[in-house]
């Protein structure tokens, strides 16, 4: 199996490499060679770019600074460039060897921060940010960019919802601050603010190819985010895609890897004999059974026999994953390009589950004339995932009818197939429970999500005057998600021959223009920005379903063939946002820095008087290292930062301020047919923006040219007028209403530090670490009232609460106090009169923990010995709880479903047990995990003329995980980020342990 | 250069111009409609919207949960694992009273919105009257169910329009009955005798509900009189007993002569009833192959040893239809009862054509013509201290139909024996109600209003309830300022 996969992968990779090489073979002119060295010390410069002027022909120097370049002829000019050095041009004439020494550019050493509507040198940036660069992002074989962000960014918590390939991941910047407005950051791709929806539901980011990303900059404080105003309260994730450079010449890069994945952890379930022993003992001791019933039950037990099926074995597999990435980049004086294609195919650790992505990107920059540049960025992607029917906490998709749930609940005594070759029922006894499917059968249900995404940006940069530029751009982001479901005829519990098709489309168009004026007045640099934008989002939701088909083979592809079709449903919305924004940056002598940012947003989702809101911030920094007394010391950077300001949140559903009639259907007044009714809503014309005020203190410190570096940030974030679904007494006729109801505070501390411990010819060793603490407190709720999660149809058994003085979404359960005489006991916490009443019921619920970690951390090590490179990435969280619904179900003292081997440790007695949902199954979710370890080797390709670099590597992901959590994996969150029920494990798809082989090749 | 400069400025101004226009930010719903007043074109849709919560299928709605719990309170039904709600000390909060509470009050809310909108409407008086009658009928129907189940409840007569003012105190039981009896008395005059919209309440429906309310309140003379109005004018209202008892529970018919008021379900995914699935056998494929429901949850069954079932004649068609233990599975009669706690499953509602659990077409009978007859028999006897000939005739029509006989032809073999004392007649009518309405959610209310639970529950082996009403759900208590915490 493994061998076959490797063979297949090698073949495909070789074909790709061969094709590229053949294409390169056509260029055959004369060759120039030489060495590039650094001017002050004569040290060779590896990786310097050598380009033939006016063409995309180029090469990079090798480790010893040597290069070799085929040129078109004698009249060619070569351009030598390297980051941090002054670019140099040399006429070739008849020379065959050209050695060059480059001068250091003192001004160019500084890195840049991509901010809203522009960029700024990192050391002159006054805000708080964390960044992950291309290399860090793809250090491990990741399918989506958020995976590459895990554990790398202080103050940014990245949590996957499950281990399913392509599953969504939620990103939290500096804690949770909203009840209903969403807690996901705003994603800005190449300057275009795109969305801050819950990416889990839609997983819009799965369409992005991680290899296309140059950097991800997470903007955290008010100064850096307030220019995005109403959408920036949860931070801003600035994603910058790669561009071509003239210095790249014509560069072709091919990256590929093959990975094998296995389930990291399994549940210790009973086998057939263990279940029979358990059941026999249970029946014999059952108080509820009389002698006849006992005899009947025991005889049933023996008549069914024991097929001893291990359902985990039956559905889990070694999943293989392949990724191929090909990119072309380069440029000339007037244009540059980056074009890439990606194919990723990830098989899951559960059979018949996978994730596939095909993506294309074209980033072009064209200089139209001396004052205009046109930037074009187009990306097209399709990602498809086949899932394993995740539970959603409703009766329709409760645990037993979910993929993982059926695996753990199905009884081991039944075989996979019955004597006729059909899937056997997994409820063989009259005392076994219903609502559970055959897990192998459920593999054949169709559960597919397909995302098509096309994004295009046209941006015209115009130099209007010496100091004045204008950027005018238009973008379209079209997204279509198709959800496919089909339950074949043999899945009677899930619903025999039920076909569903849901299509969600969204078109997000943006038009914006801004002016930028930059001028130096002596030591004072002034940078003024002002602009406006309009943004429309139209969504369309279509749902079709039908039941009963002539053949299962049709799946959901011919719903018109259904014996009974449900009424088709469509739902459309349109929202618009109009904005003006401005920023003034002052930089005095590169020592004293001030940034003033402001934005006015008008949103259609609020009523007439509440549409407009203003947001603004001030940030200031003092670069102490620029002062004379530190100027020539070993302290190369010492910067104090301060910022304070406001941002907002308007992420609510449209039309909630209007008195509406929504469409409802009923048989009433139509007999056996259907009639259409209008249901009035309860509008809230007073709803307004959620506002977050944040103050940040920061300190950046760099020593010995950043050999030792550390940044501290201390912040307080207060969110007011929280948008929330406020529960109403149901007797009002309405369950809830959206309202501005409260206040949440996040206070935190972040530290990022790094050290380049060894830096020599043969050895490099560096370590980077980050640590963050965030304290979350609900300061105020509407009239001090609690907000409870959990609707009327909640089978998730997770109850959370929003209560003043507590963390957001704290677990709210009855407290388990231990087993006494074989019976579980619970704390009698309260009663109808506010005092314990001797009865355990809903009134005894109390706060028993929460899903927010006390602190989170990560560290990376990077060791190089000659051409070998060893990287490790570690991440961890501490102090968060997880509501383990699976464990609760697996220990139920009954005979209905399979159990954990040690069920008797939970409930020693048989029946007649009085149980309640309690905190007994809330477990500690703390973990420390080696997310990635990678050993790479740079093969010396000096002798191979057409190759620039070849790197081969082997790596492993999630090989070490230290945790007390008993479920599949502590990185889990079964409900979406906008749900009140956080920290729940509803039988989430298991996380994999992965082994990877790969190579990166560039020409 | 200059022109570029100019063009850009113009572009920018255009952009500014767009934004300054507030039209750009105005919101217009696309898949919903603005609902500013009630008029001739939207009146029917608004009325339909008022009924909709009562027939909502997916998501543990009231017709299934409410009726299941009502039935699990009966002395003749046990839950699958042996319990009856009596064993849970009648703490129904645990089984989810919240679900019907929410949907029932949504109907009340919509009825109140409509009643309030009608006051300021310039609709034609006849349209207005009829709509008012329907709204009063529905609101009263909901309160009548709630007051019998929960006792004191918040009684809202005005729509909630301000989310800051949503508190409503509990209303004394007597006030609730006074209000709903008065409201239905008004509706009785506003509603038409018949309707071509199956499921819309009629004057006949109002009279039967009124008679039922009087019976519950012990106002026997009024109950008998109201029931008699319906029986005497059965032709006007189009009422009769169907010859074949099972036809009254058809999954496919729009309505029938026996249908006085029912909640209408359709064989359409999401718009059907869940009740068939609730009681259908759990065994693999039994429900579907046996023609009961697409699948079975088997929430419980009927046990033979209970007093009502023990003496039930096997030849009574109602027994043959309402309970069963065997079904034809793949051509073989198979015992499908999946628990040793009971011998029969409830079979009143069966839909072999239902493709999904939310797609059974069986209507939920709130009142049948049989109600009018049995209310009359019981109330007339109790009001007059003995059964009149008319009371005998009403009860006997029910008996004759059960034995597939002509309802108007006396038959001593099945008719009640003549010369019964008032008490003996009452016992038999009560038993008849038990047979006739098994599975229709009426038994518990009958046991409570007559006080007969005190003998029936212990006789069936269940403890006596410690509380007669079910606690109001926590979601109400914790969000209503005027009650609870």
């Amino acid at each position: 199996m493994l061998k076959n996969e490797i063979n297949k992968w090698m073949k495909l990779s070789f074909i790709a490499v061969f094709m590229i090489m053949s294409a390169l073979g056509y260029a055959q002119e004369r060759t120039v060679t030489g060495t590039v060295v650094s001017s002050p010390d004569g040290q060779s410069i590896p990786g310097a770019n050598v380009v033939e002027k006016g063409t995309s022909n180029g090469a990079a120097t090798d480790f010893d600074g040597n290069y070799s370049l085929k040129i078109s002829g004698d009249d060619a000019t070569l351009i030598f460039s390297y980051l941090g050095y002054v670019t140099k041009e040399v006429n070739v004439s008849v020379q065959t060897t050209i050695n060059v020494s480059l001068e250091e550019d003192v001004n160019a050493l500084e890195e840049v921060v991509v901010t809203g509507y522009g960029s700024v040198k990192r050391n002159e940036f006054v805000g708080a940010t964390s960044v992950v660069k291309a290399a860090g992002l793809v250090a491990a074989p990741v399918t989506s960019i958020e995976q590459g962000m895990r554990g790398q960014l202080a103050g940014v918590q990245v949590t996957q919802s499950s281990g399913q390939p392509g599953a969504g991941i939620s990103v939290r910047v500096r804690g949770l601050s909203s009840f209903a407005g969403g807690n996901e950051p705003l994603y800005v791709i190449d300057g275009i603010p795109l969305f801050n929806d819950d990416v889990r539901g839609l997983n819009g980011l799965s369409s992005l190819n991680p290899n296309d990303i140059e950097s991800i900059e997470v903007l955290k404080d008010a100064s850096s985010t307030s220019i995005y105003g109403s959408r920036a309260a949860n931070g801003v994730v600035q994603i910058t895609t790669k561009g071509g450079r003239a210095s790249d010449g014509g560069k072709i890069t091919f990256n590929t890897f093959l990975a094998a994945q296995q389930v990291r952890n399994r549940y210790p379930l009973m086998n057939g004999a263990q279940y029979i022993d358990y059941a026999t003992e249970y029946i014999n001791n059952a108080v509820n059974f009389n002698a006849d019933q006992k005899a009947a039950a025991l005889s049933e037990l023996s008549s069914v026999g024991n097929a001893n099926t291990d359902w985990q074995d039956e559905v889990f597999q070694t999943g293989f994953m392949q990724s191929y990435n090909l990119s072309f980049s380069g440029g000339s004086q007037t244009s540059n390009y980056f074009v890439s294609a990606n194919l990723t195919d990830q098989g899951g650790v559960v059979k018949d589950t996978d994730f596939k992505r095909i993506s294309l990107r074209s980033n072009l920059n064209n200089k139209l004339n001396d004052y205009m540049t046109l930037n074009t960025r187009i990306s097209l992607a399709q990602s498809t995932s086949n899932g394993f029917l995740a539970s959603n906490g409703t009766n329709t998709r409760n645990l037993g009818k979910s993929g993982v749930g059926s695996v753990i609940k199905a009884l081991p005594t039944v075989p996979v197939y019955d004597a006729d070759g059909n899937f056997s029922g997994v409820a063989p006894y009259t005392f076994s429970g219903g609502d559970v499917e055959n897990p192998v059968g459920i593999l054949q249900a169709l559960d597919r999500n397909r995302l098509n995404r096309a994004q295009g940006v046209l941006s015209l940069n115009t130099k209007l005057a010496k100091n004045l530029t204008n950027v005018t751009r238009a973008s379209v982001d079209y997204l279509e998600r198709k959800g496919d479901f089909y339950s074949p005829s043999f899945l009677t519990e899930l619903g025999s021959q039920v076909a569903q098709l849901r299509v969600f489309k969204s078109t997000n168009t943006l038009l914006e223009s801004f002016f930028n004026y930059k001028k130096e007045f002596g030591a004072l640099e002034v940078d003024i920005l002002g602009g406006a934008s309009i943004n429309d989002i139209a969504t369309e939701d279509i749902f079709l379903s039908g039941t009963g088909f002539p053949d299962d083979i049709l799946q959901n592809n011919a719903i018109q063939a259904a014996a009974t079709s449900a009424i088709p449903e469509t739902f459309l919305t349109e929202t618009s946002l109009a904005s003006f924004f401005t920023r003034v940056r002052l930089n005095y002598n590169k020592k004293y820095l001030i940034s003033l940012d402001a934005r006015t947003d008008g949103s259609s989702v609020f009523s007439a008087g509440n549409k407009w809101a203003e947001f603004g911030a001030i940030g200031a920094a003092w670069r102490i290292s620029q002062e004379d007394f530190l100027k020539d010391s070993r302290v190369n950077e010492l910067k104090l930062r301060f910022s304070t300001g406001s941002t907002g949140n308007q992420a609510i559903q449209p039309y909630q301020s209007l008195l509406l009639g929504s469409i409802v259907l009923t048989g009433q007044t139509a007999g056996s047919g259907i009639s259409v009714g209008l249901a009035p809503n309860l509008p809230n014309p007073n709803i307004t923006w959620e506002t977050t005020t944040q103050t940040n203190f920061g300190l950046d410190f760099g020593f010995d040219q950043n050999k030792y570096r550390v940044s501290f940030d201390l912040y307080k974030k207060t969110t007011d007028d929280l948008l929330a679904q406020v529960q109403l007494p149901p007797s009002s006729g309405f369950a809830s209403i959206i309202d501005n109801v409260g206040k949440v505070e996040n206070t935190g501390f972040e530290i990022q530090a790094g050290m380049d411990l060894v830096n020599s010819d043969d050895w490099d060793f560096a370590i980077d670490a980050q640590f963050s603490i965030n304290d979350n407190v609900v300061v105020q709720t509407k009239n001090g009232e609690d907000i409870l999660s959990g609707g009327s149809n909640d089978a998730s058994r997770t109850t959370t609460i929003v209560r003043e003085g507590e963390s957001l979404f704290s677990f709210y359960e009855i407290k388990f106090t231990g087993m006494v005489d074989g019976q579980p006991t619970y704390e009698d916490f309260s009663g109808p009169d506010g005092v314990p009443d001797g009865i355990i019921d809903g009134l005894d619920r109390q706060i028993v923990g929460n899903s927010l970690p006390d602190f989170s951390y990560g560290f990376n090590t990077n060791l190089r010995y000659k051409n070998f490179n060893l990287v490790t990435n570690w991440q961890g969280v501490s102090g968060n709880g997880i509501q383990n619904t699976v464990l609760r179900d697996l220990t139920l003292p009954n005979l209905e479903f399979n159990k954990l081997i040690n069920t008797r440790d939970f409930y020693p007695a048989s029946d007649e047990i009085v149980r309640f949902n309690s905190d007994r199954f809330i477990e500690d979710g703390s973990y420390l995990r080696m997310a990635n370890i990678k050993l790479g080797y740079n093969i010396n390709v000096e002798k191979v003329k057409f190759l620039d670099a070849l790197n081969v590597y082997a790596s492993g992901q999630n090989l070490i995980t230290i945790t007390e959590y008993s479920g599949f994996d502590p990185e889990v969150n079964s409900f979406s980020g906008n749900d009140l029920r956080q920290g729940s494990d509803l039988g989430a798809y298991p996380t994999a342990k992965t082994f990877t082989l790969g190579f990166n090749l560039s020409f | 250069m200059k022109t570029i400069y100019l063009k850009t400025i113009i572009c920018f101004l255009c952009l500014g111009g767009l934004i300054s226009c507030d039209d750009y930010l105005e919101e217009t719903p696309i898949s919903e409609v603005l609902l500013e007043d009630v008029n001739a074109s939207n009146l029917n849709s608004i009325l339909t919207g008022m009924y909709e919560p009562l027939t909502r299928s997916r998501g543990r709605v009231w017709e299934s949960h409410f009726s299941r719990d009502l039935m699990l309170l009966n002395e003749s039904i046990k839950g699958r694992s042996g319990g009856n709600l009596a064993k849970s000390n009648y703490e129904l909060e645990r089984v989810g009273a919240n679900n019907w509470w929410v949907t029932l009050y949504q109907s009340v809310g919509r009825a109140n919105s409509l009643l309030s909108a009608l006051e300021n409407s310039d609709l034609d008086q006849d349209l207005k009257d009829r709509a008012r009658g329907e709204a009063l009928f529905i609101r009263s129907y909901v309160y009548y169910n709630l007051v019998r189940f929960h006792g004191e409840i918040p009684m809202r007569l005005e729509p909630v329009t301000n989310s800051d003012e949503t508190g409503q105190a509990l209303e004394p039981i007597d006030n609730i009955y006074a209000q709903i009896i008065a409201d239905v008395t008004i509706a009785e005059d506003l509603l038409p005798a018949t309707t071509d919209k199956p499921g819309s309440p009629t004057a006949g429906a109002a009279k039967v509900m009124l008679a039922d309310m009087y019976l519950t309140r012990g106002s026997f003379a009024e109950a008998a009189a109201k029931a008699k109005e319906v029986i005497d004018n059965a032709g006007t209202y189009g009422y009769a007993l169907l010859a074949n008892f099972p036809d009254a529970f058809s999954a496919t018919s729009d309505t029938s002569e026996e249908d006085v008021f029912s909640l209408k379900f359709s064989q359409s995914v999401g718009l059907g009833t869940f009740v068939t699935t609730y009681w259908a056998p759990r065994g693999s494929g039994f429900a579907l192959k046996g023609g009961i429901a697409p699948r079975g949850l088997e929430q419980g069954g009927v046990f033979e040893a209970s007093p009502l079932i023990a003496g039930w004649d096997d030849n009574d068609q109602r027994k043959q239809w309402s309970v069963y233990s065997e079904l034809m599975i793949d051509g073989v009669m198979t015992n499908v009862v999946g628990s040793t706690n009971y011998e029969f499953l409830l079979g009143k509602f069966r839909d072999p054509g239902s493709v999904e659990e939310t797609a059974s077409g069986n209507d939920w009978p709130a009142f049948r013509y049989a109600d009018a007859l049995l209310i009359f028999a019981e109330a007339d006897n109790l009001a007059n201290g003995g059964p009149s000939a008319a009371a005998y005739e009403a009860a006997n029509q029910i008996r004759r139909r059960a034995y597939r006989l002509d309802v108007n032809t006396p038959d001593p073999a099945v008719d009640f024996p003549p010369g019964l004392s008032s008490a003996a007649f009452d016992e038999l009518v009560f038993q008849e109600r038990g047979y006739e309405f098994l599975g229709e959610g009426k038994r518990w209310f009958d046991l409570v209003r007559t006080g007969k639970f005190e003998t029936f529950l212990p006789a069936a082996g269940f403890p006596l309830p410690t509380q007669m009403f079910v606690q109001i759900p926590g979601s109400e208590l914790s969000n209503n300022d005027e009650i609870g915490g």
Side-chain angles (χ1 to χ4, degrees), chain A residues 874-890:
Chain A
W874 301 75
Q875 57 172 349
V877 295
S878 182
N880 58 310
I882 301 175
Q883 178 75 264
N884 190 347
T885 303
V886 172
L887 187 65
R888 173 196 170 279
D889 275 37
L890 280 177

Side-chain angles (χ1 to χ4, degrees), chain A residues 801-994:
Chain A
I801 191 169
V802 176
R803 173 177 282 178
E804 285 183 4
E806 302 286 344
S807 287
L808 210 49
F809 314 140
S810 291
F811 294 127
Y812 190 60
E813 301 283 1
I814 294 168
K815 196 173 227 159
F816 172 70
T817 48
M819 298 294 291
V820 174
D821 299 332
Q823 290 285 343
T825 57
Y826 303 92
E827 187 181 339
D828 182 13
F829 186 68
S830 189
D833 305 318
V835 290
D837 59 350
I839 297 169
I840 302 296
D841 58 16
L843 295 168
D844 294 306
R845 291 184 294 182
Q846 54 183 302
I847 288 176
V848 287
N850 65 67
S851 61
L852 307 176
D854 296 333
F855 58 89
S856 57
Y857 55 100
F859 53 94
N860 308 316
T861 65
N862 199 331
L863 173 70
R864 181 187 67 82
Y865 171 67
K866 291 186 173 167
N867 285 3
F868 286 97
N869 191 294
L870 180 70
V871 177
T872 63
N873 306 109
W874 301 75
Q875 57 172 349
V877 295
S878 182
N880 58 310
I882 301 175
Q883 178 75 264
N884 190 347
T885 303
V886 172
L887 187 65
R888 173 196 170 279
D889 275 37
L890 280 177
T891 53
L892 287 180
N894 62 36
L895 298 177
E896 297 198 339
F897 309 108
N898 199 10
K899 323 232 149 288
L900 282 192
I901 291 172
N902 63 340
T903 291
R904 287 278 184 225
D905 297 347
F906 290 83
Y907 298 104
S910 269
D911 57 350
E912 291 283 294
I913 282 177
V914 182
R915 280 178 306 105
F916 295 91
N917 286 329
S918 71
D919 69 339
R920 189 176 188 187
F921 301 101
I922 296 175
E923 295 190 275
D924 183 359
S926 306
Y927 71 88
L928 168 62
R929 130 174 303 170
M930 186 171 74
N932 182 36
I933 178 167
K934 176 177 170 182
L935 177 65
Y937 181 72
N938 284 314
I939 294 172
N940 193 333
V941 290
E942 253 177 85
K943 305 244 163 60
V944 191
K945 293 287 182 215
F946 55 83
L947 274 187
D948 274 353
L950 172 59
N951 171 271
V952 295
Y953 63 88
S955 72
Q957 286 75 46
N958 300 338
L959 299 188
I960 302 173
T961 303
I962 302 163
T963 184
E964 300 275 294
Y965 184 65
S966 73
F968 284 130
D969 200 77
E971 265 195 275
V972 63
N973 193 15
S974 289
F975 288 103
S976 86
N978 288 353
D979 201 288
L980 300 185
R981 296 164 298 180
Q982 295 295 296
S984 186
D985 185 353
L986 275 187
Y989 189 106
T991 293
K993 197 159 67 172
T994 308

Side-chain angles (χ1 to χ4, degrees), chain A residues 659-661 678-683 731-734, chain B residues 35-39 42-43 45-47 49-50 105-121 123 131-132 135-136 138-139 143 156-162:
Chain A
L659 180 61
L660 294 176
L678 288 172
N681 68 339
L682 181 61
S731 69
S732 66
F734 303 98
Chain B
L35 208 60
E36 271 141 13
D37 62 349
V38 51
N39 51 53
N42 67 14
L43 177 63
S45 306
I46 293 172
L47 278 169
M50 174 180 79
Y105 268 109
Q106 279 184 354
S107 260
V108 168
R110 293 177 193 179
N112 284 335
S113 290
L114 176 60
L115 286 168
S116 152
L118 285 171
E119 281 172 22
N120 309 313
S121 156
L123 278 169
R132 183 158 170 253
L136 289 173
I138 285 300
R139 189 174 73 188
Y143 282 147
R156 293 179 189 268
L157 304 174
E158 296 292 332
V160 169
T161 52
N162 180 348

Side-chain angles (χ1 to χ4, degrees), chain A residues 664, chain B residues 51-58 61-63 102-103 106 110 265 270 272:
Chain A
V664 291
Chain B
Y51 299 121
E52 180 269 338
L54 302 179
T55 61
R56 203 174 294 159
S57 188
R58 177 52 90 190
V61 287
W62 93 280
E63 107 285 355
V102 171
T103 39
Q106 279 184 354
R110 293 177 193 179
F265 292 94

Side-chain angles (χ1 to χ4, degrees), chain A residues 701-703 706-711 752-756 766-768:
Chain A
F701 182 75
F703 195 71
N706 272 350
K707 191 172 169 187
Y708 305 97
R709 54 205 173 257
V710 61
S711 287
Q752 289 185 110
M755 281 183 288
D756 298 334
I767 179 163
D768 277 281

Side-chain angles (χ1 to χ4, degrees), chain A residues 293 395 401 430 434-435 464 493 536 547 572 576 611 655 659 661 666 668-669 672-673 678 730-731 782 792, chain B residues 1 24-25 27 31 33 35 45 55 60 80 99 156 164 198-199 254 262 264 266 282 295 340 356 476:
Chain A
Q293 290 167 334
N395 272 354
K401 284 185 277 191
T430 51
D435 254 15
L464 298 167
E493 294 296 325
D536 291 86
T547 306
L572 284 73
S576 40
K611 287 195 191 295
Y655 314 127
L659 180 61
T666 171
Q668 205 73 19
T669 72
S672 54
L678 288 172
S731 69
K782 184 161 191 167
S792 58
Chain B
M1 175 80 183
Y24 176 70
L25 295 176
E27 220 180 5
S31 297
V33 295
L35 208 60
S45 306
T55 61
R60 298 185 174 190
R80 190 179 146 74
N99 303 306
R156 293 179 189 268
D164 290 325
D254 283 346
S262 57
K264 297 290 177 190
S266 305
R282 272 203 199 197
R295 68 189 191 99
T340 49
E356 243 183 70
E476 182 70 30

